[in-house]
Amino acid sequence: MANKEITKKQFEFLEHEFNYLEKEGVISQQEKVRMLGSYDVKGNLSFITILLSIGALLLGLGVLTFVASNWIYLSKAVKFLLIIACLIGVNFAGVKVQVRFPKTSRSLHYAGILIFGAGIFLIEQMFNISINFNSSFLLWAIGTVLIGYYLKDVFILLFTSFLLFIYINGSIFVDETSYPLAILVFLPALYILLKKFDYPKYLTFFINALAINTIALFLMEFVPKAGFENSNTIVLSILFVLGIVLAYIPVRAKLQNITHIQGHILHGITALFLTFDFSIWFPLAYFVFLLYLILKGSLTSIVIICALIFRYYIYSFDFLPKSLTFIIGGIMLIGFGFFFENQRKKGGELNE
């Protein structure tokens, strides 16, 4: 059986409890040691890691500003060789010290990623290569994801998701369609990597958000072209349904909590916009639905109800006293708090 990774705080809690059980004679010392040996403590962000990461950032920025400030005085050949030398130099140094100084090695690779991205833009400028800025971010992301996979580094893959987010949304401003490439190539690739990395929490959240973002862009382009009237309402309605589906879709245990919360957030945001398009029956029905979710233990639904109240508070700003709105909101939140505390005393569980 492979050891389970837990945080240092969780390990200390288990150690404290096992010591108590040993003291009470429930388990022996050997059993305590054996059970504690079934866990590995996850590596946390240490001071050294933070220091080296900041150092990598400063190194990358320093090289780039030096090159940029002397750019006009350098020939094209020198510029190109300088970029390539910096790129190879920091990554080679990172590989060489990887065994003895893994954290320093990682920071050098971070600097290499920054130099790689800046190099793309500088080479485009140097050789007058005319491509849209979002395509440059795509090239940067492709190089970055390969390094992230090689190093098995979650933070690099998070940065890759950020670059792809710019690529997808930047296509709006340059009249391009980025979603086919996203749907067919890099989103499936990212989900494969996500599985290989055993579904880290933050990476799962960003890749799911990227997928939702891609679907939204696809609908925003496809629905108006299909000739539907009220295309905005149709797009919002589809995303609303998608949010509800995500909130209940059966997925792997490690993905479940994040995916379901994102589903609630999605149907919550789209429902707020749909209240402007539909008559009063929709917000009333949705309000009842949220109450049902709260009864099931959904804390996210309380936030959505607050947003819904605030939306009508703004709408009725001129004729509804502020104090009355605050009183109603406060009573509702206290009521929800009392309900959850009572449920917890009865042994009920919260979903989120």
Side-chain angles (χ1 to χ4, degrees), residues 128-295:
N128 296 318
I129 299 173
S130 180
I131 62 173
N132 293 325
F133 78 96
N134 63 319
S135 299
S136 303
F137 278 95
L138 177 62
L139 293 175
W140 193 356
I142 291 171
T144 304
V145 75
L146 294 176
I147 297 174
Y149 177 71
Y150 168 72
L151 296 174
K152 301 289 186 293
D153 191 306
V154 174
F155 293 107
I156 294 178
L157 290 179
L158 281 174
F159 184 63
T160 305
S161 302
F162 172 71
L163 296 177
L164 291 174
F165 179 81
I166 297 176
Y167 163 69
I168 292 175
N169 292 283
S171 64
I172 299 173
F173 303 102
V174 293
D175 197 24
E176 280 187 357
T177 52
S178 59
Y179 56 81
L181 187 61
I183 294 172
L184 297 174
V185 181
F186 61 72
L187 277 174
L190 286 176
Y191 275 108
I192 291 172
L193 286 178
L194 189 65
K195 183 180 179 182
K196 287 185 176 294
F197 280 54
D198 199 24
Y199 307 105
K201 189 186 300 181
Y202 298 116
L203 189 59
T204 302
F205 180 87
F206 275 99
I207 293 177
N208 280 349
L210 200 62
I212 294 170
N213 186 185
T214 304
I215 293 170
L217 289 179
F218 169 75
L219 292 173
M220 288 166 64
E221 182 168 340
F222 172 76
V223 173
K225 284 182 179 177
F228 293 110
E229 294 184 1
N230 302 320
S231 56
N232 289 337
T233 305
I234 293 174
V235 171
L236 286 170
S237 300
I238 294 173
L239 292 175
F240 174 75
V241 174
L242 176 64
I244 293 178
V245 170
L246 286 176
Y248 291 99
I249 190 171
V251 291
R252 290 174 179 271
K254 283 201 167 184
L255 290 171
Q256 183 171 308
N257 197 33
I258 292 174
T259 304
H260 289 184
I261 288 177
Q262 286 179 304
H264 286 307
I265 293 173
L266 181 60
H267 73 66
I269 292 174
T270 50
L272 288 176
F273 285 102
L274 285 173
T275 57
F276 292 95
D277 294 341
F278 293 140
S279 58
I280 193 65
W281 65 265
F282 176 77
L284 286 176
Y286 186 63
F287 186 79
V288 172
F289 174 64
L290 291 175
L291 290 178
Y292 166 77
L293 293 180
I294 291 172
L295 289 175

Side-chain angles (χ1 to χ4, degrees), residues 2 17 73 75 92 94-95 102 120 153 198 217 220 244 250 253 256 283 315 346:
E17 292 300 310
Y73 306 110
S75 66
F92 180 75
V95 172
I120 290 173
D153 191 306
D198 199 24
L217 289 179
M220 288 166 64
I244 293 178
Q256 183 171 308
Y315 182 73
K346 292 178 180 176

